[in-house]
Structure formats: structure tokens, C-alpha cells
Amino acid sequence: MAQRYGGKYSPDPTDTDPTETTPDIGTYRDAKRTRAGGRVNFLFLAPLPLIWQAFGNGASAMALNLLALGTLLLAAWLTREGIIAQEAYDARKVARRPGVPRKMAGSLLTGIGLGLAGFAAGGGTLAALVYLVAGTLLHGFAFGLDPLRDKGMEGIDQHQTDRVARVVDQAEAHLAAMRDAILRSGDRQAEARVERFQTKVREMLRTVEEDPRDLTAARRYLGVYLKGATDATIKFADIYARSRDAGARSDYMMLLTDLEENFTAKTRKLLQDNNSDLEIEISVLRDRLQREGIHLDS
């Protein structure tokens, strides 16, 4: 039977490090491919021919074409940021709507950019208006609208929700810093381990978002411990990129294993506490109904 080649210097070696744990099935069950690519990247390329249109047709045509180019590139950037913001919104069970409707602004700017380009090409005011309306509508149909309301916040204390949102944003910033740092190490196994650890952290984040009362118990993990993991990742990446120190790599992998196990255990405990709270509320409700003379079948 044919076997996949693997070794010490292969991209995905088959020999395992004793400091690493076997990935559990379902670690990446919630992973989704980002939509901030493909069509969005095309939006950055499509207006580039306006550079050639800008020269050789007079000063006014040059100004209009360059303004149209800048407007379309800004629209493309806003569209990409809007898609990223919506993906973050969709990934959370409790989330606020984006403060700035970036995709809708991108639609409007796309229409304005096309209108300016059409006017610069000599189409006149009517043609420019047609381009503006058509461009805005087509962009809106292609990329959709931004989320327009908060999600999952019915019946949740506003102050608690704001506290959770701040902690989650800070934790996501730490995770982004970890991801950027580990890429500098050039170690694909370390990158995979960091990604797996981040999956465990995000499971805790989702748990806290679902029940903001868990924030007090999880704050140390999402603050002190996660900040320490980020600092350790930055230091490891700098050391390993220079020296390829196997000892430093082994210590770092052990640290990630310990952190992952602690985050997993804490998340499990938070979920158990939530179940206990539910059982207490059900018991209290049953007792109250019985005092009112209402008996529920078990």
C-alpha cells in the first residue's frame, strides 16, 4: 500500500512531537472560508484601466478619471472591510451591528465612481446618472446589506453586554497578534497548534457571550492568560526565526498544550455551571407552581 511521504524536513512531517497532543475531531468544525476575496479582489483590479484613460484627454478628463479611480478603490476597500465585519457578526451569537455600514457605503461609492467615469468619457449627465444608479444597485445585489440590528441581545442587561463586548474585542486583538507573530516563525506545525489553541479560546468567548454572567469567572483567562500567551508567542517567533532553537520550540509547544487544556477545562466548567443554574431555576419554578395548586407531570 502506498504511504504518504513525510519526514523531519517535509512540510507536514509524519513524526510527532512528544509535546503535542493529537488534534481532537471537530477542532475546526466551525471554520468557514472567508468571503473577503475573489469578487472583492476583482473590485480592486477593475478600475485600474482608468489610469490610462486619465492621460491624453485634457486636464478635466484627467481629474475626473483619477477621482473616479480613487472613489472605486475606496469602495472596494470598504466592501472588503464590510464583509469582514459581517463575518465577525455572523460568527457571534451575541453581537452589535457594525457601527459604520461599510458595504452600503461601498455600494454608493461604486455608483459615484462609475458615474464620474461615465461623465469623463463624454457620456453626459444622463449617462452618468444611469451609471450611478446601476452601479449602486448591482453592487448592493452582489454583496448585500450590512447587518442593521443587534443580534441576541433581547433580555440581556445592557451594561453586562457592553462589558462582554469590550473583553471579546480585546481577546480577539490578542488572538490576531498571536496569529501574526507565529507566521514569522516559519514553523507550520506551530502555526497549526496556535490555530487550534485559538479555537479553544473562541469556544470560551462564545460561552461568555451566551451568558454574560460567566465573564467574572473567565476574565482572568481572557485577559491575563491570553495576554501572556500572546507575549510568549511573540518572543518564541523572534527567537525561532533567528536560531531555529529546538528547545525553545519544545517549551513553547508545552506551554500551548497546558494553556489549551486549561481553557478547555474552564469552558467545560462554565457550561456545567450554566446547566446547574438552569436546573435551579426549573426547580424553583416547579415549587412555585405547586404552591399555586398547579402540578406538572414529571
Side-chain angles (χ1 to χ4, degrees):
M1 181 182 292
Q3 293 183 349
R4 181 179 178 180
Y5 174 77
K8 181 178 179 181
Y9 300 103
S10 62
D12 297 299
T14 56
D15 55 321
T16 59
D17 192 306
T19 61
E20 297 173 16
T21 57
T22 302
D24 54 334
I25 297 174
T27 296
Y28 303 103
R29 66 183 182 275
D30 294 326
K32 295 182 180 179
R33 193 170 188 172
T34 180
R35 293 172 293 173
R39 294 178 302 164
V40 179
N41 292 334
F42 177 75
L43 293 179
F44 287 94
L45 299 176
L48 295 183
L50 290 174
I51 298 175
W52 285 272
Q53 295 291 331
F55 299 97
N57 295 315
S60 60
M62 179 181 70
L64 287 173
N65 278 295
L66 291 180
L67 182 59
L69 174 65
T71 303
L72 290 171
L73 291 177
L74 177 59
W77 178 78
L78 284 172
T79 302
R80 184 180 64 187
E81 294 300 309
I83 291 175
I84 293 173
Q86 182 169 6
E87 288 178 346
Y89 175 91
D90 292 338
R92 299 180 181 181
K93 294 185 177 181
V94 179
R96 293 189 179 280
R97 66 182 184 274
V100 178
R102 299 177 184 88
K103 290 197 297 180
M104 296 167 65
S107 297
L108 180 59
L109 288 176
T110 296
I112 293 174
L114 292 176
L116 289 171
F119 189 80
T125 303
L126 181 59
L129 289 175
V130 172
Y131 285 132
L132 189 154
V133 174
T136 301
L137 292 178
L138 289 175
H139 185 283
F141 285 132
F143 297 100
L145 303 178
D146 299 272
L148 299 178
R149 61 181 181 178
D150 299 335
K151 179 176 68 172
M153 294 188 177
E154 297 80 5
I156 297 179
D157 180 70
Q158 189 71 26
H159 176 66
Q160 283 288 88
T161 302
D162 291 339
R163 290 177 61 211
V164 170
R166 287 194 296 269
V167 171
V168 169
D169 289 342
Q170 184 182 32
E172 289 289 354
H174 289 321
L175 294 178
M178 283 187 70
R179 183 181 62 248
D180 294 341
I182 199 62
L183 291 176
R184 298 199 302 270
S185 71
D187 188 309
R188 296 179 66 177
Q189 280 190 329
E191 292 174 20
R193 288 290 289 108
V194 167
E195 185 175 353
R196 199 171 80 200
F197 168 67
Q198 292 186 334
T199 300
K200 299 301 181 183
V201 175
R202 288 194 170 96
E203 288 178 3
M204 181 179 288
L205 291 176
R206 300 295 87 84
T207 301
V208 172
E209 285 180 328
E210 291 175 5
D211 189 349
R213 294 174 298 178
D214 291 333
L215 178 60
T216 301
R219 182 181 288 276
R220 180 177 297 178
Y221 285 80
L222 299 177
V224 178
Y225 295 164
L226 189 54
K227 177 65 165 61
T230 303
D231 293 341
T233 302
I234 294 172
K235 291 178 181 178
F236 164 73
D238 293 339
I239 293 173
Y240 195 72
R242 292 195 306 265
S243 63
R244 317 304 288 183
D245 187 336
R249 182 181 186 277
S250 177
D251 291 342
Y252 178 68
M253 291 296 195
M254 285 292 293
L255 173 65
L256 284 182
T257 299
D258 291 341
L259 286 170
E260 182 179 330
E261 291 175 353
N262 279 278
F263 270 82
T264 301
K266 187 62 177 180
T267 301
R268 188 179 298 117
K269 187 176 186 302
L270 292 176
L271 292 173
Q272 291 173 349
D273 290 343
N274 292 343
N275 291 338
S276 298
D277 292 341
L278 177 60
E279 291 174 1
I280 292 173
E281 290 179 4
I282 292 175
S283 177
V284 171
L285 179 59
R286 284 181 179 273
D287 292 342
R288 182 172 298 176
L289 291 175
Q290 288 177 358
R291 288 197 300 270
E292 296 292 334
I294 302 174
H295 297 279
L296 298 176
D297 294 333
S298 300

